[in-house]
Amino acid sequence: MKLCWLDIRNVDGAKAAIVEEAVHQRVDAIVAADPADLEPLPPTVKKVLFPQGQPLPEKLAPADLVIVEPARHGDPAALAQQYPDVEFGRYVEIVDADSLEDACRAARHERWSLLYFRDPTKIPLEIVLAAAAGADGSIITQVADVEEAEIVFGVLEHGSDGVMLAPHIPGEATALRTAAVSRAADLELVELEVTGIRRVGMGERACVDTCTNFRLDEGILVGSHSTGMILCCSETHPLPYMPTRPFRVNAGALHSYTLSANGRTNYLSELTSGGRVLAVDSQGKSRIVTVGRVKIETRPLLAIDAVSPSGVTVNLIVQDDWHVRVLGPGGTVLNVTELTAGTKVLGYLPVEKRHVGYPIDEFCIEK
């Protein structure tokens, strides 16, 4: 879980509404320059005092944490001895090689490091994260908007421990919180038993090319119905007559559902460049990957019918070709044309019906 700090130091007339929203959304910290702005906050939110460009106030309470500029306020370790009831962190503005080295030292040794990168490149942040690998402290990166926060959360596949955002209008705290928690949750896969395969004629199938190389036991979940999907294998494994394409899943007929970000489903036909799908491995571990391209072409199609141990029937329609594969228990790679009754494949059984891709509890029959 990434940390969300909301900076209210320069918020104008909507401050009360923004703070109320932030508390409701359970942001991790509110940052203020005046201790008085921290007074009304509940104990559920960390109270951070950041008197940037100002002297430290005589009274730091009710602050839980004070971010200081060492050249102006003094060393955080010395201040911590002077004020034993308050945590201290270091602010560093990265503008050149010397300040970058200062940020690396802070990230390695301070409990809290608040970093501002003047230039838009994320290379300095990558350097800080690498330098601080294994350190116990937390790195908070100042960002301009929610879009930048999403980028910062993913730098070096680890990202900053948190971000600090100065909101302009109500709603940004909610968007930031959503960005911080929109990491894919692991799924509970089940073993489905194939009951048969059948040729169903010609139709359009979709190959989903992502901006990521899949791992050997990883693919995407696809199914004709929202209540059951089969784990389709990527083209990571060698095939005769053609090179491997580890970024691709020959996924299925264009009407099929697949899982995307935040628990939503999409039809394969809806996926476009820059969209998101959920990559899932044979253990159910998942991650969000970006779609680079979707190729929809007319091919002969094969229907796979399967059933779960609880009796849920699952259907998947794929291209009728030996090189199209699904995954079985333990990540076993299975060619779809060689599936027989009794073969076990991995699948997922969402419990909710779907309306425009969103889960909903309503009466719905799919067949």
Side-chain angles (χ1 to χ4, degrees):
M1 181 73 70
K2 298 297 185 179
L3 299 174
C4 296
W5 287 16
L6 221 62
D7 180 6
I8 63 169
R9 291 175 299 161
N10 296 304
V11 172
D12 295 326
K15 180 185 291 187
I18 287 173
V19 170
E20 182 179 356
E21 177 197 7
V23 172
H24 178 73
Q25 290 296 329
R26 295 187 177 274
V27 300
D28 299 282
I30 298 290
V31 182
D34 185 347
D37 286 331
L38 301 174
E39 286 284 358
L41 297 178
T44 54
V45 62
K46 182 182 284 290
K47 304 173 183 67
V48 179
L49 182 66
F50 182 24
Q52 186 178 11
Q54 305 172 18
L56 278 180
E58 293 185 6
K59 181 182 178 184
L60 301 181
D64 303 308
L65 168 64
V66 180
I67 301 296
V68 298
E69 300 170 285
R72 180 183 298 274
H73 302 123
D75 181 71
L79 289 167
Q81 292 185 352
Q82 185 178 350
Y83 301 93
D85 296 329
V86 181
E87 285 188 292
F88 286 87
R90 182 186 298 263
Y91 172 73
V92 183
E93 181 176 349
I94 295 88
V95 298
D96 54 22
D98 289 340
S99 54
L100 176 59
E101 181 56 35
D102 191 22
C104 290
R105 283 194 297 270
R108 285 194 296 265
H109 301 297
E110 300 291 350
R111 176 65 187 89
W112 296 98
S113 301
L114 176 61
L115 308 180
Y116 171 66
F117 296 88
R118 183 188 62 185
D119 298 319
T121 174
K122 295 298 180 281
I123 300 300
L125 176 57
E126 292 181 4
I127 293 171
V128 172
L129 293 176
D136 294 330
S138 295
I139 299 169
I140 308 297
T141 302
Q142 188 172 342
V143 296
D145 50 38
V146 174
E147 185 176 6
E148 185 182 6
E150 291 178 329
I151 295 171
V152 166
F153 286 148
V155 170
L156 286 188
E157 298 186 26
H158 170 74
S160 180
D161 298 298
V163 299
M164 182 179 78
L165 171 69
H168 301 289
I169 56 173
E172 290 187 85
T174 300
L176 180 64
R177 189 66 175 165
T178 299
V181 301
S182 64
R183 297 297 180 266
D186 292 343
L187 304 178
E188 185 176 350
L189 300 184
V190 298
E191 292 186 13
L192 305 173
E193 182 174 329
V194 174
T195 56
I197 61 174
R198 50 199 165 92
R199 291 183 168 89
V200 292
M202 302 295 291
E204 281 71 56
R205 68 93 175 98
C207 283
V208 180
D209 294 346
T210 71
C211 300
T212 301
N213 279 335
F214 289 91
R215 294 186 283 268
L216 291 176
D217 68 337
E218 197 174 34
I220 65 174
L221 289 159
V222 186
S224 294
H225 308 135
S226 63
T227 51
M229 302 177 186
I230 292 174
L231 187 54
C232 293
C233 184
S234 66
E235 295 185 10
T236 305
H237 303 269
L239 290 162
Y241 313 115
M242 59 191 301
T244 59
R245 296 181 176 93
F247 53 82
R248 169 176 292 179
V249 177
N250 191 323
L254 79 173
H255 75 282
S256 307
Y257 282 114
T258 189
L259 287 180
S260 54
N262 302 320
R264 187 179 178 182
T265 57
N266 284 104
Y267 299 121
L268 292 180
S269 62
E270 292 178 326
L271 298 178
T272 57
S273 297
R276 303 285 195 272
V277 293
L278 204 65
V280 183
D281 71 13
S282 60
Q283 302 301 311
K285 295 186 181 301
S286 62
R287 56 183 176 136
I288 298 169
V289 297
T290 300
V291 176
R293 168 183 51 244
V294 178
K295 291 183 63 183
I296 299 176
E297 299 163 311
T298 301
R299 295 289 188 269
L301 299 177
L302 181 75
I304 303 168
D305 297 306
V307 64
S308 74
S310 61
V312 176
T313 57
V314 178
N315 175 265
L316 169 65
I317 297 178
V318 296
Q319 181 179 344
D320 183 1
D321 196 283
W322 178 84
H323 80 277
V324 180
R325 296 161 162 181
V326 296
L327 288 168
T332 304
V333 179
L334 304 168
N335 303 318
V336 295
T337 55
E338 296 180 352
L339 296 175
T340 59
T343 303
K344 297 294 179 66
V345 298
L346 290 176
Y348 176 63
L349 305 177
V351 295
E352 307 94 344
K353 303 298 188 293
R354 298 282 162 166
H355 182 65
V356 293
Y358 292 101
I360 185 171
D361 183 14
E362 68 169 359
F363 174 76
C364 178
I365 295 176
E366 295 178 287
K367 62 182 181 178

